[in-house]
Amino acid sequence: MKVKVLIADKFPEQYIDELKSMKMEVIYDAALGENDLPSAAKDVDILVVRSTKVNAETINQSNLLNLIIRAGAGVNNINIAAANQRGIYVANCPGMNSVAVAELAIGLMVSLDRRIPDNVIDFRNGKWNKGEYSKAEGLLGKTLGVVGVGNIGKEVVKRAVAFGMNVYGKDISRIEGVAIKDFSEMNKLLPICDIISIHLPATSETKGLFNKEMFSYMKKGALLINTSRADIIDEDALLEAIKEKNIRCALDVFKGEPEGKTGEVKSKLQDNPNVYITHHIGASTNQAQNAVAAETIRIIKDYVSSGIIAHWVNRAKTTDVHYQLVIKHFDKPGVLATVLEVIKEGNINIEEIENTIFEGGAAACCTMKLKSEVSTEMLKKIKSNPEILSVSHVAL
Ligand code: 3PG
């Protein structure tokens, strides 16, 4: 039976053709939204999305779904808790669109300094205002705080250093070859920054991070750029900081972003002259989208051919493992079954298991990570099978 892939977001055609050439059944419908997915994804094996939300209903109503791929970096649009319950893999494509997002962040920085969008709006309205727009500061020697120095933050750092900026990062160790200083506390970082650029994922720790307190640390007239996730900024606190400190900001993300690609948009930040907003286009360059699509195809190929999930994000970081049992055995049918029977009788949960074969296929080694200890009695029973070569059991 053919593997069925649903691509529920805009995706470069040439990569869809590549999937089809791999003898997969590909359904491509970029117009699908969150509420369409429960029925659209019901009978597919693999679901590929960009920002379209994959909610619990989509996951719970699916019959075959085994892998959800986020064709991008952030996975906050996927209900991972629901995927965990159903044993559905979630993977992403980290780093593939980092340069595109960094380029936008730098573009927004220059835009804020030179007020490029206002220049353009005035010109379009037949208004000449060289006097006003000649008041830019310039970026050379300015202090930039990069909050979140992951794949995207690092690309921003490189570009800012090339601009001759003084760059500080939050929560980082020194990045080789880049003049970045390690500054771990926001109350020390923010007061020295002329410009702050946010590059954080949406997590419970980052939600509302830029609140009243954070804005209180910022310099008067500082510039703030957010090309990561809307949830990180408390928009009411931002509006207050704009009023009190003349903070100016450029955002690629904001609360209430429309689900579709075109249509009406409403935001409490819309009419504020200190706010520039772009249309969540950070990752939207052809270069980035091709790189993301190529990585998506690679993840699908690896999964179909070997069962291995590249960039598997919902794999447990830690398991409840306390003991390890290593069984060397003859590679014959039923040998491991006798071991598993003993473990079952002892009511011990196997958290992880791997069986590898020695060259030639005569012997194999099975490593199990267990929750509780295997008793001496049980070990004796396992060893009593003449097909077992050796048994080692250790506490971890
Ligand atoms: C990402 O997480 O990769 C970006 O936010 C891109 O989102 P998009 O693919 O919906 O443009």
Side-chain angles (χ1 to χ4, degrees):
M1 227 166 60
K2 276 187 177 179
V3 173
K4 217 172 182 181
V5 184
L6 170 64
I7 302 178
D9 252 310
K10 201 168 174 296
F11 203 78
E13 295 280 350
Q14 78 191 82
Y15 293 93
I16 293 175
D17 293 343
E18 195 178 329
L19 271 185
K20 285 183 182 159
S21 75
M22 288 158 57
K23 309 253 174 302
M24 289 184 200
E25 186 180 337
V26 183
I27 308 157
Y28 175 41
D29 189 349
L32 291 174
E34 177 180 2
N35 296 329
D36 306 311
L37 282 188
S39 72
K42 212 176 176 71
D43 293 312
V44 304
D45 304 278
I46 302 172
L47 170 63
V48 177
V49 289
R50 283 180 61 176
S51 288
T52 299
K53 287 199 175 92
V54 183
N55 60 26
E57 200 187 338
T58 297
I59 288 166
N60 294 333
Q61 289 196 7
S62 66
N63 296 320
L64 302 171
L65 195 58
N66 214 1
L67 170 62
I68 303 168
I69 303 176
R70 165 65 162 104
V75 287
N76 56 305
N77 55 319
I78 298 165
N79 190 326
I80 294 189
N84 290 343
Q85 289 303 315
R86 298 280 311 271
I88 294 171
Y89 300 109
V90 177
N92 68 345
C93 302
M96 297 297 135
N97 55 28
S98 306
V99 167
V101 180
E103 286 174 352
L104 180 69
I106 296 288
L108 292 175
M109 202 184 296
V110 179
S111 296
L112 280 169
D113 184 49
R114 297 298 185 95
R115 295 169 60 193
I116 295 171
D118 300 317
N119 273 260
V120 174
I121 291 168
D122 276 355
F123 187 77
R124 288 222 171 111
N125 290 328
K127 208 163 127 193
W128 185 248
N129 209 347
K130 178 163 171 146
E132 177 61 24
Y133 296 128
S134 296
K135 292 176 190 161
E137 267 297 313
L139 299 176
L140 179 69
K142 292 286 169 191
T143 296
L144 169 70
V146 177
V147 181
V149 192
N151 290 322
I152 298 168
K154 283 185 185 123
E155 296 298 336
V156 171
V157 170
K158 278 194 227 161
R159 284 156 182 79
V161 168
F163 273 34
M165 300 180 84
N166 203 8
V167 185
Y168 287 80
K170 158 89 175 88
D171 286 341
I172 51 149
S173 48
R174 183 175 273 272
I175 299 171
E176 242 167 273
V178 175
I180 188 159
K181 291 139 194 152
D182 187 353
F183 236 102
S184 55
E185 302 297 322
M186 294 295 265
N187 59 351
K188 290 182 195 148
L189 174 71
L190 297 182
I192 61 166
C193 292
D194 303 299
I195 306 161
I196 294 140
S197 193
I198 305 174
H199 302 285
L200 294 170
T203 66
S204 49
E205 286 135 283
T206 62
K207 194 176 165 117
L209 179 72
F210 274 74
N211 56 13
K212 207 173 157 62
E213 185 191 344
M214 290 297 155
F215 285 114
S216 77
Y217 300 139
M218 281 169 60
K219 271 187 183 178
K220 280 198 170 139
L223 307 181
L224 177 69
I225 295 147
N226 185 15
T227 51
S228 58
R229 287 294 180 261
D231 267 0
I232 291 155
I233 294 183
D234 172 341
E235 291 184 351
D236 291 322
L238 170 65
L239 284 170
E240 228 177 286
I242 289 172
K243 225 196 272 167
E244 284 168 15
K245 294 182 142 180
N246 196 28
I247 301 285
R248 293 196 295 125
C249 68
L251 314 171
D252 192 39
V253 284
F254 58 94
K255 303 263 166 72
E257 178 182 326
E259 195 188 6
K261 304 284 181 282
T262 51
E264 293 276 305
V265 63
K266 275 210 169 6
S267 155
K268 57 172 69 158
L269 306 172
Q270 210 151 19
D271 302 320
N272 197 301
N274 283 30
V275 183
Y276 294 155
I277 293 198
T278 49
H279 301 217
H280 197 160
I281 51 158
S284 299
T285 64
N286 285 337
Q287 294 175 344
Q289 285 313 306
N290 287 337
V292 163
E295 190 66 352
T296 301
I297 304 290
R298 184 180 81 85
I299 296 170
I300 295 175
K301 264 188 193 162
D302 282 2
Y303 164 65
V304 172
S305 64
S306 66
I308 292 169
I309 309 289
H311 310 305
W312 177 13
V313 299
N314 60 338
R315 180 180 184 153
K317 309 282 172 291
T318 53
T319 48
D320 200 5
V321 160
H322 303 281
Y323 294 89
Q324 179 172 279
L325 181 66
V326 179
I327 312 275
K328 289 205 175 140
H329 59 96
F330 288 116
D331 187 30
K332 290 183 182 169
V335 181
L336 272 183
T338 64
V339 179
L340 296 178
E341 192 54 40
V342 176
I343 290 175
K344 181 187 145 199
E345 278 165 17
N347 197 28
I348 294 175
N349 198 44
I350 302 170
E351 298 286 326
E352 294 164 48
I353 184 165
E354 188 183 25
N355 193 47
T356 46
I357 314 290
F358 286 83
E359 195 74 62
C365 178
C366 180
T367 305
M368 295 177 213
K369 302 270 171 70
L370 309 172
K371 199 166 175 169
S372 28
E373 191 172 10
V374 181
S375 69
T376 324
E377 215 32 57
M378 288 163 73
L379 289 173
K380 230 192 251 167
K381 206 165 175 188
I382 291 170
K383 280 181 201 158
S384 70
N385 182 343
E387 308 288 0
I388 301 289
L389 292 162
S390 72
V391 177
S392 106
H393 182 239
V394 287
L396 296 173

